[in-house]
Amino acid sequence: MEEKLNSLNDEVSSKLNALNEEVRELRSKNKELGKIKIMETRMESLEKEMERLRTENTAQTKRLEDTKIKMDELLKENEAQAKELETMRGTTNDVKYKMDDLIKQNEVSKVAFSVSLSSSNGPHSSLHTLMYKHIFLNTGEAYDANTGIFTAPMKGVYAFRVFSKAYGSQDKAVVAGLFRNGQHEISTYARQDGGFIGSSNGVSLLLEKGDQIYVNLYPGYWIFDNEHHHSTFSGHLLFPM
């Protein structure tokens, strides 16, 4: 009987041991299943993160494409502005050159003189060029008081005026002529038996650069002047040509 009990105990112990082993295996399997679930959860999180990154990457790619398009548009606009700026620079340079030319032309075209004899002259036996010594104005320095000659500094239209005065007598008169390069243009003439007499005349002439204008006193005549400047010679450039 005792042997049967011992045998039964052994059998029960063996079964218990087997059950314990199965429990341990189940527990181990449960742990593995937990790990798998954790890994699955992590995998799902990673997949979601990957999907989020894909979405974000797609958005960034779109933004980059839009930025590239805008950059291309800016480059084209910049090229157009550069061309426009170059054109404006050319226009500005042209305007500057024209302004410089106008300024130079304006400076050069300031030509005017007004002079008087300051003393009487004549009569002479031949044509005598009058040297008007007193200078009221000589802008452009085209009149030479040492020769009495005005030399045109440029081609243009010039206006001239001559006023001649003398004291009248039976044998004296005042006759003076405006000459251009040796050719007579206009005259002043006056004669009377007594008292002061005067004559004036004026003309506009188209002159070439270098043309010479002066007043000649005709032979046998005289002209009066003193510190009061009765006899004058004046001229100025109306406009260049």
Side-chain angles (χ1 to χ4, degrees):
M1 188 70 174
E2 185 176 352
E3 290 179 1
K4 287 183 179 181
L5 287 172
N6 288 333
S7 175
L8 183 61
N9 284 333
D10 291 337
E11 184 179 352
V12 170
S13 294
S14 177
K15 288 181 177 180
L16 284 172
N17 289 332
L19 287 171
N20 286 331
E21 184 64 28
E22 288 180 3
V23 168
R24 282 195 294 273
E25 287 179 1
L26 287 172
R27 285 177 180 173
S28 177
K29 287 180 180 180
N30 285 334
K31 288 182 181 178
E32 291 297 327
L33 287 173
K35 289 180 181 179
I36 290 171
K37 287 182 179 180
I38 292 172
M39 289 180 68
E40 287 177 347
T41 302
R42 289 180 179 176
M43 286 293 291
E44 289 177 358
S45 298
L46 286 173
E47 287 177 355
K48 290 179 180 179
E49 181 66 16
M50 286 293 289
E51 186 62 28
R52 185 187 67 79
L53 290 174
R54 287 192 193 99
T55 302
E56 185 176 342
N57 183 61
T58 301
Q60 288 181 346
T61 301
K62 182 66 170 58
R63 286 196 293 269
L64 284 173
E65 289 176 353
D66 292 341
T67 301
K68 184 178 182 301
I69 291 171
K70 289 181 180 179
M71 285 293 294
D72 291 340
E73 290 175 353
L74 287 173
L75 286 172
K76 290 179 181 178
E77 184 177 347
N78 186 57
E79 290 176 358
Q81 289 178 347
K83 290 180 181 178
E84 185 177 353
L85 180 60
E86 191 64 27
T87 302
M88 290 177 64
R89 283 176 179 168
T91 303
T92 301
N93 289 334
D94 290 341
V95 172
K96 183 178 181 299
Y97 294 146
K98 289 179 181 178
M99 285 294 294
D100 290 343
D101 289 340
L102 287 173
I103 290 171
K104 290 178 182 178
Q105 184 177 353
N106 184 55
E107 290 175 351
V108 172
S109 63
K110 292 179 180 178
V111 181
F113 74 97
S114 185
V115 294
S116 70
L117 284 173
S118 295
S119 61
S120 299
N121 200 295
H124 300 281
S125 59
S126 60
L127 278 175
H128 179 77
T129 300
L130 295 173
M131 289 180 284
Y132 294 81
K133 293 293 186 179
H134 181 82
I135 298 176
F136 297 103
L137 175 71
N138 192 17
T139 302
E141 302 295 328
Y143 173 77
D144 186 353
N146 295 315
T147 62
I149 297 174
F150 169 82
T151 303
M154 68 182 73
K155 182 178 180 179
V157 176
Y158 295 78
F160 298 97
R161 190 162 189 83
V162 180
F163 187 86
S164 303
K165 191 172 184 179
Y167 190 81
S169 67
Q170 292 182 351
D171 59 346
K172 287 184 180 179
V174 54
V175 185
L178 183 77
F179 283 70
R180 169 171 52 175
N181 302 330
Q183 298 297 318
H184 172 267
E185 295 291 346
I186 59 171
S187 291
T188 58
Y189 173 85
R191 179 193 288 274
Q192 67 182 25
D193 290 341
F196 278 105
I197 54 175
S199 176
S200 66
N201 206 348
V203 68
S204 295
L205 299 172
L206 174 60
L207 302 183
E208 299 291 337
K209 181 178 180 181
D211 280 353
Q212 294 184 332
I213 303 293
Y214 45 91
V215 178
N216 281 334
L217 184 66
Y218 281 88
Y221 298 100
W222 79 301
I223 188 169
F224 170 81
D225 203 8
N226 58 19
E227 69 276 11
H228 297 294
H229 313 299
H230 299 276
S231 296
T232 60
F233 173 33
S234 301
H236 62 275
L237 173 66
L238 292 175
F239 52 86
M241 296 287 287

